[in-house]
Amino acid sequence: VYKRQHQGSAEKPTVILLNPLPQSILAFAPIWNRLASRFNLYAYDLPGFGRSEGGEEFMTFEAQGRFLRDFISEFGIEKPHLVGPDVGMAAALAYVTHFPSDVASLVIGDGPGIAPSQNGSVINKMVDSGFWRLIFKIAGAGTFVHAANELGYLNYVPNEEEISDYIYSYSGRIGPITTWFEKYPESLRYVDPKLAEIDKPVLIFWGAQDKLLLAENAERLKERLQRSKAHIFERCGHFSYQDQHEKFGDLITEWVEGGYRLI
């Protein structure tokens, strides 16, 4: 069972927002009304993330991508623009390698998908060290969320409602989340060889000061994809969709309203 929100009409272009980690779809609140006024808008908590149910069986890029197919089929969505930051980027890339004709474009960033991934030290600890994964399990959701906020923002300050939602979303669930990191190398090996086969317009976004997944990933990813462009948000951390939410809203709007056709 997944948590989703929907607003819009079938006559408009369709945009699907995929949640990041350690957040839920509430992370898109700053841009929701603006996008919903222009697009047929969905927001979707990936299985095992946010408020959606799911456990270790969903903790690979491939499993997330395949379940996204079920979501799109369930609601009869046609030719969506997939917006995937962070873990949403991994799911979007995995999805389009299986079902390339189903989407209009991808808007992805601040996440994994290219091997080797250029990671900050915290990500490397989560990926490489069973000890550090155990530490995160013991520390729990509150510490997990607050540590990510310290590393992920330069400008934006999440409000109490957001923080409460994120902590509630991951309370008692950090164990399965660490499995996603444990399987990270395997998942990268699954997606990376397929990047060159993606023949869809792709807009890559990244925060210039991203401490979790370094901005050089954006240019390396751009070089591997057939039809892509990259946008780097200056003075911006890992959570660029919030840290520069007004500019991020501009970026999506311009892309979906025609920019993707130029790629």
Side-chain angles (χ1 to χ4, degrees):
V1 179
Y2 44 78
K3 180 181 176 182
R4 60 102 184 182
Q5 290 183 334
H6 168 242
Q7 187 171 341
S9 66
E11 292 74 28
K12 301 176 182 179
T14 297
V15 173
I16 302 177
L17 304 171
L18 306 178
N19 77 287
L21 175 72
Q23 298 152 339
S24 68
I25 54 177
L26 190 61
F28 300 114
I31 60 173
W32 179 266
N33 288 338
R34 176 181 178 181
L35 296 184
S37 70
R38 294 174 176 267
F39 309 126
N40 188 34
L41 187 62
Y42 291 80
Y44 164 51
D45 275 339
L46 298 163
F49 294 94
R51 294 293 186 97
S52 289
E53 297 177 3
E56 293 188 358
E57 69 274 19
F58 292 110
M59 291 299 133
T60 65
F61 299 1
E62 181 182 9
Q64 295 286 336
R66 290 188 181 278
F67 198 89
L68 178 55
R69 169 66 171 181
D70 295 339
F71 174 86
I72 289 173
S73 297
E74 174 73 17
F75 293 98
I77 301 170
E78 297 183 358
K79 297 294 182 183
H81 299 269
L82 295 182
V83 179
D86 193 74
V87 295
M89 170 176 158
L93 285 172
Y95 172 81
V96 81
T97 62
H98 288 296
F99 311 106
S101 63
D102 288 3
V103 303
S105 78
L106 300 181
V107 184
I108 54 175
D110 297 325
I114 189 168
S117 178
Q118 301 301 310
N119 306 323
S121 62
V122 172
I123 300 296
N124 284 334
K125 288 176 180 177
M126 289 285 282
V127 171
D128 298 332
S129 172
F131 171 77
W132 276 101
R133 289 193 293 271
L134 177 61
I135 292 298
F136 277 99
K137 290 179 189 178
I138 294 172
T143 299
F144 190 74
V145 169
H146 286 296
N149 288 348
E150 286 293 319
L151 291 170
Y153 293 113
L154 289 184
N155 310 298
Y156 187 81
V157 178
N159 59 42
E160 291 184 6
E161 179 184 3
E162 291 175 81
I163 293 174
S164 176
D165 180 77
Y166 305 153
I167 292 174
Y168 181 86
S169 294
Y170 295 101
S171 180
R173 304 175 71 186
I174 300 301
I177 296 300
T178 63
T179 300
W180 187 90
F181 288 97
E182 183 179 3
K183 294 183 177 180
Y184 189 95
E186 172 189 336
S187 289
L188 284 178
R189 287 192 295 270
Y190 173 80
V191 170
D192 179 84
K194 300 175 174 64
L195 292 176
E197 301 172 10
I198 297 174
D199 188 17
K200 286 290 178 180
V202 181
L203 175 59
I204 304 161
F205 61 87
W206 227 277
Q209 284 74 44
D210 192 332
K211 295 179 181 179
L212 298 176
L213 288 141
L214 307 185
E216 62 191 84
N217 286 310
E219 289 301 325
R220 293 177 57 241
L221 186 60
K222 180 179 181 298
E223 292 173 0
R224 294 282 303 282
L225 295 167
Q226 295 185 43
R227 301 163 61 190
S228 65
K229 64 181 294 186
H231 181 89
I232 306 299
F233 291 101
E234 299 299 330
R235 297 180 297 282
C236 183
H238 178 70
F239 302 134
S240 56
Y241 43 90
Q242 288 186 310
D243 223 17
Q244 293 278 9
H245 58 87
E246 292 185 1
K247 292 181 179 179
F248 188 77
D250 290 341
L251 193 73
I252 294 177
T253 299
E254 292 169 7
W255 176 261
V256 174
E257 291 186 342
Y260 76 99
R261 299 182 187 278
L262 304 177
I263 303 301

